């Protein structure tokens, strides 16, 4: 697709969004320096300019949203984006591992940055598996076959590109139809492998076709608060310690090492 694609999504193999929300509240309230607050804090920023406000200029706030998905899965979005795959400050396990254990449910986190940089983390029965490939595959948890096909879309992409090039060869150069087919090829090839996989999976899991795809959940909640409420998205808010941003910077700098040092 044209432009920059980025997305962060968590999925829990449970359709009970109330139980998920309660478990997240319980786990985060147990952490030192974190306080759950009842409503979204008021901001003096112009909402339409929120996306331009840099991470370290934003208030020390965590936001979590839980929505119903298809096939018995629920979707979780968070801000900061990777907050739930970090370790709790007073716990040596990943927050998502603690959540999956609390709910006795499988879980995964799927992140795409820069169209081609993919990351899939799976958690099942106390075990964890991850990979940083642009086209990851489910290796640990049991998911519907449609999920496996969606996340591996390269064969379908290769077929479409091959057919488009064959069509291009049959057109007269400099003709209107030639440039039409050429444009389709350029659009197809601009879209990274990880982006195709992420979009395809989101179409299967997210019945709203809106909640799954979001790079900055902070901005979405402030801008589309009423819409999210009308979709029955459960929203949770937490005041964070002032040093939380330094904690996230260390994780972003050494992501691979962070998970390599995890023992389960």
């Amino acid at each position: 697709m044209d432009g920059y694609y980025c997305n962060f999504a968590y999925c829990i193999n449970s359709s009970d969004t109330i139980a998920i929300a309660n478990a997240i509240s319980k786990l985060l309230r147990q952490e030192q320096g974190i306080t759950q607050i009842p409503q979204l804090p008021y901001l003096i920023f112009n909402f339409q300019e929120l996306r331009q406000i840099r991470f370290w200029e934003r208030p020390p706030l965590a936001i979590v949203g839980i929505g119903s998905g298809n096939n018995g899965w629920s979707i979780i979005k968070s801000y900061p984006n990777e907050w739930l795959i970090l370790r709790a400050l007073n716990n040596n396990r990943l927050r998502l591992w603690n959540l999956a254990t609390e709910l006795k449910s499988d879980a995964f986190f799927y992140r795409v940055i820069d169209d081609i940089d993919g990351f899939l983390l799976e958690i099942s029965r106390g075990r964890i598996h991850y990979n940083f490939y642009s086209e990851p595959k489910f290796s640990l948890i049991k998911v519907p076959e449609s999920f496996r096909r969606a996340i591996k879309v390269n064969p379908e992409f290769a077929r479409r590109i091959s057919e488009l090039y064959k069509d291009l060869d049959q057109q007269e150069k400099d003709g209107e139809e030639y440039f039409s087919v050429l444009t389709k090829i350029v659009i197809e090839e601009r879209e990274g492998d990880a982006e195709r996989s992420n979009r395809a999976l989101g179409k299967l899991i997210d019945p709203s076709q809106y909640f799954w795809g979001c790079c900055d959940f902070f901005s979405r909640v402030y801008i589309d608060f009423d819409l999210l409420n009308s979709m029955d998205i459960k929203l949770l808010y937490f005041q964070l310690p002032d040093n939380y941003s330094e904690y996230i910077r260390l994780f972003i700098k050494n992501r691979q090492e962070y998970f390599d040092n995890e023992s389960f």
Side-chain angles (χ1 to χ4, degrees):
M1 299 290 289
D2 291 333
Y4 173 83
Y5 183 82
C6 177
N7 191 38
F8 300 76
Y10 303 83
C11 289
I12 297 283
N13 194 195
S14 169
S15 57
D16 191 342
T17 55
I18 294 176
I20 296 170
N22 289 340
I24 292 173
S25 293
K26 173 185 174 182
L27 291 170
L28 290 184
R29 286 200 309 265
Q30 290 173 351
E31 292 191 36
Q32 182 180 356
I34 294 182
T35 304
Q36 187 166 7
I37 52 180
Q39 59 189 18
L40 190 65
Y42 175 77
L43 292 183
I44 61 173
F45 303 117
N46 182 322
F47 284 4
Q48 300 306 318
E49 297 175 353
L50 278 177
R51 293 186 182 89
Q52 280 69 54
I53 299 173
R54 291 168 292 187
F55 176 74
W56 55 89
E57 294 175 329
R58 294 178 174 184
L61 176 69
I63 306 175
V64 179
I66 305 104
S68 297
N70 291 322
N71 295 287
W73 289 83
S74 293
I75 304 165
I76 302 174
K77 305 291 289 188
S78 81
Y79 171 84
N81 292 324
E82 293 163 312
W83 189 246
L84 296 180
I85 59 166
L86 300 182
R87 296 185 190 94
L89 295 177
N90 55 346
N91 191 306
N92 63 356
R93 301 299 194 190
L94 307 183
R95 292 188 178 95
L96 187 61
W97 189 93
N98 289 326
L99 178 61
T101 300
E102 177 78 15
L103 295 168
K104 297 181 174 60
S105 299
D106 291 345
F108 69 88
F109 170 71
Y110 190 17
R111 181 218 70 192
V112 170
I113 300 176
D114 293 335
D115 309 335
I116 58 173
D117 179 7
F119 171 57
L120 176 66
L121 173 78
E122 304 171 78
I123 296 172
S124 178
R125 299 180 182 180
R127 295 180 297 159
I128 184 169
H129 182 270
Y130 69 90
N131 67 58
F132 285 90
Y133 301 115
S134 63
E135 187 192 341
K137 62 180 181 179
F138 290 104
S139 305
L140 180 61
I141 63 178
K142 184 177 181 180
V143 295
E145 184 58 33
S146 58
F147 287 18
R148 296 184 184 278
R149 289 196 303 268
I151 208 169
K152 187 178 181 181
V153 294
N154 266 347
E156 175 62 19
F157 166 69
R159 183 191 63 78
R160 291 199 307 268
I161 287 293
S162 177
E163 290 179 354
L164 284 171
Y165 273 110
K166 287 179 182 178
D167 191 10
L168 189 69
D169 290 339
Q170 296 173 2
Q171 307 301 325
E172 291 186 10
K173 289 187 176 181
D174 300 330
E176 185 176 330
E177 187 61 29
Y178 179 90
F179 285 106
S180 175
V181 176
L182 187 61
T183 299
K184 292 178 182 178
I185 292 173
V186 170
I187 292 173
E188 283 279 0
E189 292 187 335
R190 277 182 182 172
E191 184 179 317
D193 292 346
E195 177 182 354
R196 279 190 293 273
S197 294
N198 195 277
R199 288 183 183 277
L201 188 60
K203 288 178 181 178
L204 289 174
I205 297 179
D206 182 10
S208 73
Q209 295 298 292
Y210 171 83
F211 189 51
W212 173 274
C214 174
C215 179
D216 183 2
F217 195 56
F218 180 90
S219 297
R220 174 155 294 181
V221 170
Y222 273 100
I223 294 171
D224 292 336
F225 181 82
D226 291 337
L227 175 59
L228 291 170
N229 270 333
S230 71
M231 294 167 57
D232 199 27
I233 302 298
K234 292 172 175 53
L235 295 170
L236 308 172
Y237 317 106
F238 302 90
Q239 191 75 34
L240 301 179
D242 291 336
N243 64 346
Y244 83 103
S245 60
E246 293 300 321
Y247 177 56
I248 293 175
R249 280 197 186 102
L250 289 174
F251 163 73
I252 292 174
K253 186 177 180 180
N254 299 291
R255 281 191 178 101
Q256 184 98 34
E257 181 181 345
Y258 190 93
F259 292 108
D260 286 343
N261 289 337
E262 194 66 54
S263 59
F264 289 86

